[in-house]
Amino acid sequence: MRGALGGPRVLLRRLREVMAEQVSAQERLDKIVVLIAANMVAEVCSVYVLRVDGTLELYATEGLNKAAVHQTVLRSDEGLVGLVASEANPINLSEAQNHPAFSYRVETGEEIYHSFLGVPVLRAGNTLGVLVVQNRARRTYTEEEEEALQTTAMVLAEMIASGELSAIAKPGAEPAARRPLHLTGMALNEGVALGHVVLHEPRVVITNFIADDLPKELKRLEAAVETMRSDLDVLLERGEVADGGEHRDVLEAYRMFAYDRGWVHRLEEAVATGLTAEAAVERVQSDTRARMLRATDPYLRERLHDLDELANRLMHHLLGQDYAPARDRLPENAVLVARSMGPAALLEYDRKRLRGLVLEEGGPNSHVAIVARALGIAAVGEITNATGVADPGDAIIVDGATGDVHMRPSPDMEAAYVERVRLRARRQLQYLALRDKACVTRDGEKIELMINAGLAVDLPHIEETGAAGIGLFRTELQFMVAATFPRTAEQFSLYRAVLDAAGDKPVTFRTLDIGGDKVLPYMRNVEEENPALGWRAIRLGLDRPGLLRSQIRALLRAAGGRDLKVMFPMVATVEEFDEAKSLVERELTHLRRHSHKLPEQVEIGTMLEVPSLLYQLDELLDRVDFLSVGSNDLVQFFYAADRGNSRVADRFDAISAPVLRALKVVADKGRAHAKPVTLCGELASKPIGALALVAIGYRSFSLSPSAVGPVKAMLLDLNAGKAAALMQPLIDSPSGSLPIRERLKAFAAEQGLQI
Ligand code: PEP
Ligand code: MG
């Protein structure tokens, strides 16, 4: 059998020279195919490039008919070349014509070649083209030759991705590498962002692919693997989390793979073909990504993800680059693109320049999504391979309401969104004009609108919205975004900052609501079959009172000389409330004894989130200073439908007779006991929800800050008496064909209300 001339390393070195030459793109490609053919002793070497229309165009060939260049265009599922592209896997055949996928184009004069070796041109797991060698003889290409051709394809991938080929492409048939992409994921936070891609973990740009000194490259690889392993060991030993909130089990998985011989062996093999250590990592990473994108087994996908992440770390170790992005050098209108991100990491970016967030992972309840909402940036999750298809600086549009992401959008698409952003801005201005207006309905009913908050970044919202205060301060958010347990001093300083920011306006602090879906990455999680119904919130606080007591102390001290309102989450019985209240009283006594400055007044209330409280209202209202209905949890338990599960989300409506009847009883009883009742769940943050609630007697709400404008605009136009008159018969005897929601919509249309 004929051996390769000079071997892969000579080829790579020659390629490097060609890449550096000042020639046109076509000339460069022509030289590359000649070089490869000669080096691999192949009669044919051809480059096919994937185009925006999904077809594969012959861009250069040595050996096939030259007239076919830029003329032969294959469908993406056509022939062996199509198969290599669609599977992103090499095909190596000594008798190509026996393969069921074989098809040939007369114009290429290809029929006389028997052996075929085709490899995908991959970048970050995406197919950009196909590189083929062919021989007349029935030849078996060795594994080394296959490896060498894949390595060569990397050089081509960089050339295609650089955009150099656009100059020789036909209009409308440009290489797909830079094509506009429309991707759809999960809406995490509404808003539209038009901006430019910033990769949260910048892709390392490799400038040196070709190894000058193989043993040295192997040593570099070995050293980097060692450092990476010991870093992971240290992180796990310290029991902390890295990079703002990585979970322990994720790190454990990384460590397992970091010690996996198979993975390291593949890296070493890639170096042996003549690559530098970093180019070897990229090769292996790109293959992993390609498999990841095609894997359907979720377990396998997750493992491939781990490998991909590990390769990323290794790359940074190799190049001595900080494993952190340029947080302080954000461009204007930055849109962050990340595989996943901890909430603390997001908070480190310059808020003024950040417009949007796109994640490959991350559901609506993820901590990073909570922070995105607090920051008010458009956010979309579950975008497969977002980091693989986005390049830094690319234009991007994020539609956080629909979950659409447009990468490198067409001018038409961009114009459409510019118009939407303009409309939105106009609406925001209208809401702003309402900011200082008293919130009173047309028929003179005063409605109190407060905001929900939980992080220091939320505080400017009080001023921006003109809200009457903070009706729900979710203290757990500080714990959720931290990498380690916040000390009492840190809690104290946040609470004081919150009270300072609120000034004369009231703030209701809710004690820690952790457990269930609110996981602290640094706290060992107790495995529970039904976490939403498990050991969470006040249950955890009462069973392990140390944490709750120190929080209460921080609250009491932070409110020294001012009013304090405290409430407890997930209370299910009056006894639980009594027990929790007695903790506050004990702390008060303790502080008094130590002559600390005490709050002027302490009001103690509870959330109403568990349906059992609906049947203890009289006893409860005798004890509490106020009630706050948490409709998110109340409705989930009411209908036994997980609030985070989209499969059941549409089965039940909160604006329905059973829920509204229950909520009306709460409002009525509150009034009878002369105890304030407010509602702080998402139901009040939708104008139609607020309409239903006013109609059954609610006069106080705590809303997401972005909802204050739209809800207030609706309320100012509302006649509350008319709404109540419409609603009463609907919830008393919900007959008739139209559901209550539809009746309310019709009422709103008739009354000219924006809902
Ligand atoms: C609720 O359950 O309605 C609520 C406001 O609390 P959270 O959303 O924080 O559970
Ligand atoms: Mg709740």
Side-chain angles (χ1 to χ4, degrees):
M1 198 182 76
R2 287 174 290 183
L5 283 183
R9 266 175 282 152
V10 173
L11 172 59
L12 284 173
R13 207 161 303 138
R14 294 280 296 117
L15 278 176
R16 179 160 64 180
E17 286 158 20
V18 173
M19 293 306 284
E21 279 177 35
Q22 296 287 332
V23 290
S24 74
Q26 188 65 53
E27 279 173 278
R28 198 186 315 284
L29 278 180
D30 291 344
K31 287 188 173 199
I32 289 175
V33 288
V34 171
L35 267 181
I36 298 173
N39 186 274
M40 297 192 64
V41 198
E43 278 125 8
V44 175
C45 174
S46 316
V47 174
Y48 295 83
V49 173
L50 185 70
R51 310 193 314 192
V52 280
D53 57 5
T55 59
L56 290 150
E57 176 177 329
L58 180 65
Y59 259 64
T61 186
E62 167 67 10
L64 296 187
N65 192 347
K66 285 261 189 299
V69 170
H70 296 301
Q71 299 306 317
T72 293
V73 178
L74 308 172
R75 290 190 320 271
S76 61
D77 60 349
E78 188 176 343
L80 294 169
V81 172
L83 197 59
V84 172
S86 59
E87 302 276 313
N89 250 330
I91 293 183
N92 183 349
L93 302 167
S94 57
E95 183 49 272
Q97 292 168 29
N98 287 348
H99 193 283
F102 179 81
S103 78
Y104 81 93
R105 291 295 190 87
V106 190
E107 75 269 17
T108 60
E110 191 178 16
E111 63 277 20
I112 50 174
Y113 301 105
H114 291 279
S115 50
F116 174 101
L117 172 59
V119 299
V121 177
L122 289 178
R123 186 164 180 267
N126 297 304
T127 301
L128 304 187
V130 176
L131 176 61
V132 178
V133 291
Q134 289 172 283
N135 278 81
R136 227 175 266 214
R138 290 179 181 78
R139 161 182 178 187
T140 309
Y141 300 97
T142 63
E143 232 173 84
E144 290 75 45
E145 284 173 314
E146 189 177 313
E147 274 290 318
L149 199 62
Q150 281 184 276
T151 299
T152 316
M154 278 180 75
V155 178
L156 276 174
E158 285 311 307
M159 188 178 168
I160 298 175
S162 73
E164 191 182 343
L165 299 188
S166 301
I168 49 173
K170 292 187 211 69
E174 290 88 2
R178 317 266 326 130
R179 70 186 185 279
L181 281 179
H182 175 197
L183 308 159
T184 306
M186 186 182 279
L188 298 183
N189 190 38
E190 58 149 18
V192 172
L194 278 109
H196 296 278
V197 169
V198 172
L199 291 178
H200 173 53
E201 282 162 4
R203 212 175 6 248
V204 175
V205 180
I206 299 178
T207 45
N208 189 10
F209 280 89
I210 296 137
D212 290 322
D213 179 349
L214 262 196
K216 190 176 134 216
E217 291 305 319
L218 282 170
K219 278 219 174 65
R220 282 183 65 224
L221 180 68
E222 198 182 323
V225 169
E226 265 320 302
T227 325
M228 184 183 70
R229 284 175 178 166
S230 58
D231 270 14
L232 283 168
D233 290 343
V234 169
L235 274 176
L236 278 160
E237 265 157 37
R238 273 214 312 255
E240 288 179 12
V241 286
D243 306 319
E246 264 171 4
H247 289 246
R248 197 182 166 81
D249 47 356
V250 174
L251 288 179
E252 299 265 17
Y254 292 168
R255 180 160 68 174
M256 186 180 87
F257 284 114
Y259 282 93
D260 182 77
R261 272 308 305 160
W263 182 62
V264 177
H265 186 63
R266 283 205 290 143
L267 290 165
E268 287 165 352
E269 271 184 352
V271 172
T273 64
L275 291 176
T276 56
E278 55 268 27
V281 175
E282 174 149 317
R283 261 268 339 251
V284 171
Q285 189 175 14
S286 198
D287 288 353
T288 307
R289 279 209 153 216
R291 283 192 291 148
M292 189 161 83
L293 292 174
R294 286 161 185 83
T296 45
D297 175 354
Y299 178 77
L300 183 63
R301 273 182 82 100
E302 202 44 52
R303 299 291 74 83
L304 289 168
H305 251 150
D306 292 340
L307 278 176
D308 186 42
E309 177 64 35
L310 208 57
N312 217 4
R313 281 169 184 262
L314 190 54
M315 189 76 99
H316 285 81
H317 279 298
L318 268 172
L319 298 178
Q321 289 181 2
D322 191 8
Y323 186 68
R327 296 194 176 113
D328 45 350
R329 279 179 280 122
L330 278 189
E332 293 283 345
N333 300 328
V335 173
L336 277 180
V337 179
R339 203 190 100 196
S340 63
M341 195 192 286
L346 180 56
L347 279 169
E348 279 170 35
Y349 284 96
D350 179 356
R351 184 190 173 191
K352 288 196 284 303
R353 289 167 177 256
L354 207 54
R355 292 286 170 277
L357 174 68
V358 175
L359 298 172
E360 291 181 13
E361 298 171 0
N365 293 328
S366 62
H367 307 157
V368 65
I370 295 170
V371 173
R373 282 195 281 274
L375 291 172
I377 56 173
V380 173
E382 309 277 324
I383 295 282
T384 309
N385 199 27
T387 57
V389 292
D391 274 311
D394 278 354
I396 185 170
I397 297 172
V398 183
D399 187 336
T402 59
D404 288 304
V405 173
H406 299 274
M407 210 88 83
R408 299 174 286 271
S410 66
D412 287 354
M413 185 62 72
E414 196 160 328
Y417 270 97
V418 166
E419 191 48 37
R420 277 176 60 178
V421 168
R422 207 173 284 147
L423 267 175
R424 213 180 129 82
R426 203 174 306 145
R427 221 174 299 137
Q428 295 299 333
L429 274 181
Q430 286 164 1
Y431 297 147
L432 195 63
L434 305 180
R435 192 183 64 171
D436 300 322
K437 266 197 162 173
C439 188
V440 181
T441 63
R442 284 208 165 160
D443 51 342
E445 291 291 330
K446 272 184 70 178
I447 316 281
E448 183 181 43
L449 296 185
M450 296 176 288
I451 56 165
N452 296 341
L455 296 169
V457 288
D458 284 320
L459 299 179
H461 295 315
I462 309 177
E463 194 50 32
E464 285 160 20
T465 58
I470 297 180
L472 165 65
F473 191 86
R474 293 178 162 110
T475 57
E476 65 276 7
L477 293 195
Q478 181 189 24
F479 285 69
M480 285 163 70
V481 304
T484 53
F485 248 113
R487 296 175 211 287
T488 315
E490 292 167 73
Q491 297 175 44
F492 169 83
S493 68
L494 173 65
Y495 305 152
R496 202 168 52 181
V498 173
L499 290 165
D500 287 347
D504 295 338
K505 297 177 175 177
V507 179
T508 305
F509 290 94
R510 177 175 74 186
T511 61
L512 276 181
D513 184 10
I514 48 178
D517 62 333
K518 296 170 180 173
V519 192
L520 303 185
Y522 42 84
M523 203 164 108
R524 273 231 173 262
N525 235 354
V526 191
E527 282 287 327
E528 291 184 300
E529 197 135 330
N530 262 315
L533 306 179
W535 196 52
R536 54 177 293 198
I538 199 64
R539 303 167 181 182
L540 203 147
L542 293 176
D543 292 351
R544 296 262 191 287
L547 189 57
L548 180 56
R549 275 182 27 209
S550 71
Q551 180 182 34
I552 291 172
R553 197 171 299 177
L555 282 167
L556 290 170
R557 294 189 56 185
R562 304 187 256 205
D563 290 350
L564 176 68
K565 286 169 167 244
V566 187
M567 65 178 173
F568 308 114
M570 300 300 294
V571 169
T573 66
V574 285
E575 290 76 17
E576 277 176 353
F577 175 76
D578 288 341
E579 210 183 326
K581 184 176 170 180
S582 73
L583 283 182
V584 181
E585 281 159 353
R586 279 207 346 235
E587 288 310 315
L588 264 172
T589 313
H590 174 87
L591 292 181
R592 198 172 290 124
R593 206 176 297 139
H594 290 81
S595 331
H596 281 290
K597 191 171 184 186
L598 297 178
E600 286 283 310
Q601 179 185 240
V602 181
E603 287 178 70
I604 306 175
T606 178
M607 298 277 291
L608 194 162
E609 304 175 280
V610 182
S612 63
L613 282 191
L614 294 170
Y615 297 92
Q616 305 169 69
L617 282 171
D618 289 320
E619 302 95 301
L620 187 68
L621 284 158
D622 279 342
R623 291 163 156 89
V624 299
D625 293 318
F626 62 90
L627 267 190
S628 186
V629 181
S631 56
N632 305 341
D633 276 311
L634 185 63
V635 174
Q636 106 162 323
F637 297 132
F638 201 79
Y639 278 124
D642 180 350
R643 66 194 258 189
N645 182 344
S646 52
R647 286 212 189 113
V648 294
D650 291 340
R651 296 203 70 85
F652 310 96
D653 193 350
I655 304 180
S656 58
V659 174
L660 295 175
R661 275 184 201 160
L663 291 180
K664 185 167 186 308
V665 172
V666 178
D668 291 346
K669 290 241 184 218
R671 208 165 284 124
H673 285 260
K675 294 286 166 71
V677 173
T678 188
L679 189 141
C680 61
E682 283 300 306
L683 183 57
S685 288
K686 308 266 184 321
I688 191 167
L691 168 58
L693 291 165
V694 168
I696 58 169
Y698 282 79
R699 294 295 179 265
S700 171
F701 303 117
S702 192
L703 317 173
S704 312
S706 62
V708 173
V711 168
K712 189 168 181 181
M714 184 280 295
L715 291 172
L716 291 176
D717 288 338
L718 176 70
N719 183 318
K722 276 193 184 163
L726 168 85
M727 188 63 100
Q728 193 61 53
L730 293 182
I731 60 173
D732 282 347
S733 52
S735 53
S737 52
L738 273 185
I740 295 182
R741 183 180 286 271
E742 299 308 317
R743 302 283 274 265
L744 285 178
K745 280 187 190 163
F747 171 78
E750 190 186 294
Q751 301 278 314
L753 304 174
Q754 290 284 333
I755 58 167

